[in-house]
Amino acid sequence: MTPNIAPLRNVAALTALVDRVHDRSMGLPGMAVFYGPSGWGKTTATTFVTNEYGAYCVQVLSCWTPSYFLQSIMKEIGLKPVRGVPAMVDAIAANLARVDRPLIIDDAQYLTKNKKLIELARDLYEASQTTLILVGEEELPQHLTKWENIHNRQLAHEPALACNLSDATKLAQIYSPTVEITEDLLGAIVDASGGSIRRVVT
């Protein structure tokens, strides 16, 4: 497996978003959304930012329940298990407030399928006032409008960027370092990918 993370535009975009939210002025909301189509490199950018900031990060699955969501965050933080949703929220929030490390929730579109899940994300933010970034697919901002008390806590909605020739060139250097790929062929690959970094790499 190739371990490198290419310095793509979406890595820079998510880094800038976390910087903006983390360094926000007092009184401004501390949640934000990074969104875009599947395969556009959001999770890769999330991995980079998690390492760069020492952030906590969980990737939500469609089958998660509220309890499992909180248990997964507690495991990521390294907290001892406690019983009950309120106790877990208190434990997580206390830790987030104390260490001042961002919490990144990847595949956050699954939170919007269950009112209890998305409201737990809001509870964690309200109780800790930490930087909380929701990363998800392109309809995530629209889905959040169903909950005004969550939507208005977003400092920014930052769209992921489609793969371009510059990104593809950097990817080729990592994934095909011994193969010479002409610029016109690489451009054709980008055009055929529909902006998907995953398809360009494949």
Side-chain angles (χ1 to χ4, degrees):
M1 179 179 290
T2 304
N4 308 63
I5 294 180
L8 306 181
R9 294 184 303 156
N10 281 329
V11 171
L14 182 54
T15 300
L17 179 63
V18 174
D19 277 338
R20 178 181 173 189
V21 179
H22 196 66
D23 297 335
R24 67 191 182 276
S25 298
M26 185 176 295
L28 290 177
M31 297 180 72
V33 175
F34 186 63
Y35 66 99
S38 176
W40 280 32
K42 301 183 303 297
T43 296
T44 299
T46 296
T47 299
F48 176 87
V49 169
T50 297
N51 293 331
E52 187 75 6
Y53 286 87
Y56 299 121
C57 180
V58 294
Q59 186 171 11
V60 181
L61 299 181
S62 62
C63 60
W64 279 12
T65 63
S67 291
Y68 198 87
F69 172 56
L70 294 175
Q71 290 167 6
S72 297
I73 296 175
M74 292 189 70
K75 183 177 180 180
E76 168 70 8
I77 292 174
L79 298 176
K80 294 180 179 179
V82 296
R83 295 185 64 180
V85 167
M88 285 190 280
V89 169
D90 286 347
I92 294 167
N95 179 274
L96 292 174
R98 183 175 66 253
V99 302
D100 192 31
R101 291 164 63 176
L103 173 62
I104 302 175
I105 302 177
D106 195 10
D107 277 334
Q109 69 273 4
Y110 294 125
L111 297 182
T112 66
K113 308 296 184 185
N114 184 328
K115 182 181 179 182
K116 291 182 179 179
L117 285 174
I118 192 63
E119 289 185 342
L120 281 174
R122 183 203 60 197
D123 289 344
L124 292 175
Y125 165 70
E126 282 297 316
S128 67
Q129 294 296 301
T130 195
T131 296
L132 199 160
I133 309 295
L134 302 176
V135 179
E137 295 186 356
E138 63 265 42
E139 295 183 354
L140 178 58
Q142 179 182 346
H143 289 162
L144 290 175
T145 62
K146 292 187 292 186
W147 297 279
E148 175 59 22
N149 62 348
I150 297 170
H151 190 262
N152 66 23
R153 283 170 168 78
Q154 310 302 317
L155 182 64
H157 298 87
E158 184 71 26
L161 302 170
C163 185
N164 65 3
L165 185 60
S166 174
D167 285 341
T169 300
K170 294 170 184 174
L171 291 167
Q173 292 168 354
I174 291 175
Y175 289 95
S176 301
T178 62
V179 179
E180 182 179 351
I181 305 176
T182 60
E183 185 172 304
D184 59 341
L185 176 56
L186 201 55
I189 292 172
V190 170
D191 291 342
S193 75
S196 170
I197 289 172
R198 183 178 297 136
R199 291 188 184 279
V200 169
V201 170
T202 302

